């Protein structure tokens, strides 16, 4: 059971640093244009705007097939179809539609409900999930756009696009930190409401985006409460579980206040004990201490899909880069760390070098 918790925690941390991924333009010409700074502010403020719609997301991140993680790799490396009803950050519903059925997620204060129609099973997850695996709702244009727009990057206007029948104004965000692996992010939104409608994320040095997500149809009409309320039927299976304690599973190993010139974010999950986030925005990276037996398994898995050995001052590392994501496992005597982010591999290597010289202490 302990090894299972550790494995889940490692995967969750890796997944938490990813951004994910469609292609849909209407044929009609568009002419909307708006000051990019004002458009950015309006998009960030749209978090309180209700909407409902249908979106398609396409990701081309070449993640290898991973045991028990096929749902995650398909989100990041294929097409995802989504129906969504959104009232506010604590009241929403997202249906992931596939060829074999659908998986519906409902959010209510204090809980989330997941219905798998293939298994006719409802699962209630009680409590907050500050770190979790990616899910379909993360691919919706409003969710992805707001995460990206929080980064303090340069913004310039883009030509308008016709998205879901709306004359959408566009902007390009170019991250200010040179060590992010993200080259730019293009976002189009309804200029009247600020609702993001289409997002394209492009890695540095790449000619095409690796993430594209767009509404095919959308309305800002408030969804009925009946639609966003989970209703387990008498013939459905039902189970309730608590949100996983990722930080507890990772232990309380104290992390240094800075790594590779980046400050530890003490206000984020973990606060630097058992889990740390360094830097900000699209140049942030995550660090988690691992028991040696767990790190051995991670290193073996990375090695099988192209991981390379890196020599460090106090040990060695194994680095895997699938642009724009980089993952590095640092191993020294009796202690290991996993480091991951959408950043320059050199930044992770520098952080690993500093971690390898920490006092020899078991997490």
């Amino acid at each position: 059971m302990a090894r299972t918790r550790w494995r889940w925690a490692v995967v969750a941390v890796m997944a938490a640093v990813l951004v994910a991924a469609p292609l849909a333009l209407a044929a009609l010409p568009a002419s909307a244009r708006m000051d990019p700074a004002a458009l950015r502010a309006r998009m960030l403020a749209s978090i309180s705007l209700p909407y409902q719609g249908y979106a398609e997301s396409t990701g081309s991140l070449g993640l290898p097939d991973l045991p028990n993680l096929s749902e995650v790799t398909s989100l990041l490396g294929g097409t995802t179809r989504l129906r969504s009803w959104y009232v506010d950050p604590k009241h929403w519903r997202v249906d992931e539609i596939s060829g074999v059925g659908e998986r519906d997620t409902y959010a209510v204060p204090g809980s989330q409900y997941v219905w798998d129609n293939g298994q006719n099973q409802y699962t209630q997850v009680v409590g907050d999930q500050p770190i979790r695996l990616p899910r379909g709702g993360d691919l919706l244009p409003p969710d992805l756009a707001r995460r990206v727009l929080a980064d303090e990057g340069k913004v310039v206007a883009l030509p308008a696009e016709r998205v879901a029948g709306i004359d959408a104004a566009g902007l390009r965000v170019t991250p200010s930190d040179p060590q992010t692996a993200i080259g730019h992010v293009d976002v189009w939104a309804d200029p009247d409401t600020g609702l993001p409608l289409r997002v394209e994320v492009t890695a540095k040095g790449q000619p095409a985006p690796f993430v594209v997500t767009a509404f095919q149809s959308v309305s800002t009409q408030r969804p009925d409460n009946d639609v966003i309320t989970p209703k387990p039927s008498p013939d459905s299976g039902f189970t309730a579980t608590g949100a996983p304690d990722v930080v507890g599973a990772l232990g309380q190993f104290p992390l240094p206040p800075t790594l590779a010139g980046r400050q530890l974010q003490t206000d984020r999950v973990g606060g630097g004990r058992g889990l740390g986030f360094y830097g900000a925005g699209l140049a942030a990276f995550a660090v988690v201490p691992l028991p040696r037996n767990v790190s051995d398994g991670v290193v073996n898995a990375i090695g099988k899909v192209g991981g390379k050995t890196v020599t460090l001052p106090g040990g060695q590392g194994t680095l895997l880069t699938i642009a724009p994501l980089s993952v590095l496992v640092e191993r020294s005597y009796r202690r290991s760390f996993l480091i991951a982010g959408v950043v320059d591999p050199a930044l992770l290597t520098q952080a690993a070098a500093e971690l390898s010289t920490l006092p020899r202490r078991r997490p």
Side-chain angles (χ1 to χ4, degrees):
M1 177 63 73
R3 293 194 63 181
T4 300
R5 292 201 313 270
W6 275 99
R7 190 178 299 111
W8 187 95
V10 171
V11 171
V13 171
M14 292 174 63
V17 300
L18 295 175
V19 288
L23 193 56
L25 288 177
L28 296 176
S31 59
R33 195 171 182 87
M34 185 175 178
D35 175 76
L39 181 60
R40 179 184 197 163
R42 189 165 293 182
M43 283 193 274
L44 288 171
S46 70
I47 192 169
S48 61
L49 178 72
Y51 70 85
Q52 50 188 304
Y54 170 74
E56 291 187 358
S57 167
T58 300
S60 57
L61 193 62
L63 292 176
D65 290 333
L66 300 173
N68 303 317
L69 288 175
S70 59
E71 292 181 2
V72 174
T73 55
S74 65
L75 283 177
L76 303 177
T79 298
T80 303
R81 297 169 178 82
L82 303 161
R83 287 194 302 256
S84 59
W85 297 264
Y86 179 90
V87 174
D88 59 48
K90 293 186 177 181
H91 301 84
W92 49 262
R93 170 184 168 186
V94 176
D95 296 355
E96 299 176 44
I97 308 163
S98 70
V100 296
E102 65 181 68
R103 184 180 178 89
D104 305 346
T105 302
Y106 300 77
V108 299
S111 290
Q112 289 186 10
Y113 291 81
V114 179
W115 181 60
D116 186 322
N117 83 326
Q119 300 182 7
N120 195 22
Q121 174 74 28
Y122 267 93
T123 301
Q124 179 187 11
V125 182
V126 181
D128 294 329
Q129 301 180 69
I131 298 177
R132 54 173 173 75
L133 294 175
R135 62 189 174 209
D138 298 327
L139 308 180
L140 288 166
D143 292 72
L144 182 55
R146 291 175 192 130
R147 290 197 299 272
V148 169
L149 291 170
D151 183 61
E152 293 298 326
K154 177 183 177 182
V155 293
V156 297
L158 287 176
E161 294 282 4
R162 192 77 177 175
V163 185
I166 296 172
D167 197 0
L171 62 78
R172 171 168 292 180
V173 180
T174 301
S176 57
D177 194 312
Q179 289 186 294
T180 178
I182 302 298
H184 60 265
V185 183
D186 297 341
V187 186
W188 287 266
D190 182 341
D192 295 329
T193 65
L195 181 68
L197 303 173
R198 178 181 175 91
V199 183
E200 300 180 357
V201 185
T202 303
K204 282 183 176 177
Q206 299 299 312
F210 70 93
V211 171
V212 185
T213 180
F215 279 114
Q216 308 296 302
S217 61
V218 68
S219 166
T220 54
Q221 180 180 352
R222 187 189 187 281
D224 293 336
N225 289 335
D226 192 55
V227 175
I228 62 171
T229 303
K231 303 179 187 66
S233 64
D235 61 344
S236 298
F238 183 86
T239 184
T241 183
D245 181 9
V246 176
V247 175
L250 295 173
Q252 293 294 306
F253 188 84
L255 295 172
T258 61
L259 276 178
R262 308 302 168 103
Q263 293 291 323
L264 175 66
Q265 299 181 31
T266 56
D267 59 337
R268 290 193 63 172
V269 176
R273 301 190 66 85
L275 171 63
F277 291 89
Y278 290 83
L282 296 174
F285 60 88
V287 177
V288 54
L290 304 177
R292 188 56 183 261
N293 63 333
V294 174
S295 69
D296 289 344
V298 176
V299 167
N300 289 338
I302 289 176
K304 291 178 180 178
V305 293
K308 298 180 179 180
T309 300
V310 178
T311 300
L312 303 171
Q316 70 175 26
T318 303
L319 173 67
L320 176 66
T321 298
I322 303 174
L325 174 68
S326 292
V327 178
L328 191 153
V329 178
E330 179 276 331
R331 293 195 296 173
S332 53
Y333 178 65
R334 296 176 62 186
R335 186 205 57 238
S336 300
F337 291 93
L338 182 143
I339 318 167
V342 284
V343 295
D344 188 327
L347 182 64
L348 296 193
T349 302
Q350 181 182 347
E354 295 174 16
L355 287 170
S356 74
T357 61
L358 290 177
R360 301 295 190 258
R361 179 177 174 181
R362 185 188 299 274

